[in-house]
Amino acid sequence: DFSAIAWPIVGRFKAHHGRLGCYMIPIAGTTNSGITFFVWTQRFIRKLALEGVTDGWAFKRSDGTRAKAGDYWEDIASKLEVIQRTTKLIDPAVDVWNDYGVQRS
């Protein structure tokens, strides 16, 4: 049954003053907008396996350290520009480089 699962997230959390904790995050198999989350997750895991990645960070820098969201910003913003230029999904007045972002506080 892939209607939903709970993923354990372990780490230090700002909301808990940096104390180590473990949380179960509920994940829907299919989002309300129809995205089949588990299908895409399985594809991603297969891609990692084909590259020989079986442990460690799924998103990492070339030196093996954990990647940060900002490491991907240039690629994401340039794709948003293409979407803006070729569709009506993003208003032409929007400055995707400054109005969007991936940084977390």
Side-chain angles (χ1 to χ4, degrees):
D1 176 18
F2 289 113
S3 59
I5 63 166
W7 279 357
I9 306 295
V10 178
R12 299 191 185 283
F13 297 90
K14 187 168 36 174
H16 292 268
H17 308 291
R19 290 188 311 247
L20 188 63
C22 179
Y23 299 91
M24 300 301 283
I25 308 297
I27 306 291
T30 303
T31 66
N32 286 339
S33 61
I35 296 170
T36 52
F37 185 79
F38 295 138
V39 170
W40 286 100
T41 301
Q42 290 168 349
R43 288 176 182 166
F44 179 63
I45 291 169
R46 277 194 302 272
K47 181 183 182 305
L48 290 175
L50 287 172
E51 294 173 358
V53 178
T54 58
D55 62 359
W57 301 108
F59 296 96
K60 57 187 169 188
R61 296 177 174 149
S62 58
D63 66 359
T65 59
R66 180 179 62 130
K68 306 284 186 182
D71 294 341
Y72 301 100
W73 176 238
E74 189 171 323
D75 188 47
I76 292 167
S78 63
K79 285 176 174 50
L80 289 172
E81 283 183 319
V82 170
I83 292 167
Q84 183 180 44
R85 193 171 53 253
T86 60
T87 73
K88 295 182 180 188
L89 295 173
I90 303 174
D91 188 294
V94 171
D95 179 355
V96 297
W97 287 89
N98 293 308
D99 294 344
Y100 291 101
V102 295
Q103 271 40 24
R104 293 182 55 199
S105 63

